[in-house]
Amino acid sequence: MDSESAEVAARRFVDVWQDGWARHDVEALLALYAPDCVHRSMPFREPHRGWDALAAYLRWSFAQERPVDVRFAAPVVGPGPVAVAEFRVLAEEDGRPTTLAGCVFVRFRADGLAVETRDYWHQADGHQEPAGDLFFTD
């Protein structure tokens, strides 16, 4: 995959995730991944291997959440081809405001589908923006 194709795949990944997360559209999100993908949510959890495991994880993650605003920063693309993007989700869980902020690392195969992803994130009470403006710029 050349660098231009990697940029296109990474931009598609964050655009679909931003919209798909806001709508809890598991099918749209799964379409970004190779059938044999490996997804890790936090570095010490067991990975979700393949579409079925990823779909189950997403449905579980979305079950108690009502998204208010979902935003992904423009991805930073590197060799491999790999990309990283920061995200921030304002939501309500059990009627109280929460913020989830983090980043996703993704490795693409030649056709632009994600074969491996890893998330690092933190959740806090209330709606807030991550400190600084390194990635979230207008």
Side-chain angles (χ1 to χ4, degrees):
M1 174 179 274
D2 62 29
S3 62
E4 185 176 329
S5 298
E7 291 279 348
V8 169
R11 185 75 247 175
R12 178 177 172 263
F13 188 87
V14 299
D15 288 347
V16 171
W17 255 101
Q18 183 169 289
D19 182 62
W21 194 333
R23 295 183 300 111
H24 287 174
D25 188 343
V26 172
E27 296 307 315
L29 297 175
L30 289 178
L32 295 169
Y33 292 82
D36 59 346
C37 65
V38 176
H39 170 74
R40 291 177 174 86
S41 176
M42 302 302 283
F44 303 114
R45 289 183 176 174
E46 287 297 313
H48 307 99
R49 298 181 183 278
W51 280 341
D52 290 343
L54 180 56
Y57 170 72
L58 292 171
R59 288 185 182 102
W60 172 83
S61 295
F62 293 158
Q64 302 300 318
E65 174 192 84
R66 188 181 69 76
V68 174
D69 184 55
V70 178
R71 188 167 21 143
F72 274 70
V76 177
V77 180
V82 297
V84 62
E86 190 175 32
F87 57 85
R88 188 272 292 136
V89 179
L90 304 180
E92 289 186 7
E93 292 185 17
D94 298 322
R96 48 181 196 87
T98 63
T99 301
L100 185 116
C103 58
V104 56
F105 291 82
V106 57
R107 184 170 53 88
F108 299 101
R109 67 183 192 189
D111 63 1
L113 293 177
V115 292
E116 186 174 6
T117 55
R118 181 186 309 252
D119 295 340
Y120 293 90
W121 51 268
H122 182 76
Q123 191 166 11
D125 292 333
H127 289 164
Q128 52 191 304
E129 294 297 327
D133 61 359
L134 179 60
F135 297 106
F136 288 115
T137 58
D138 293 329

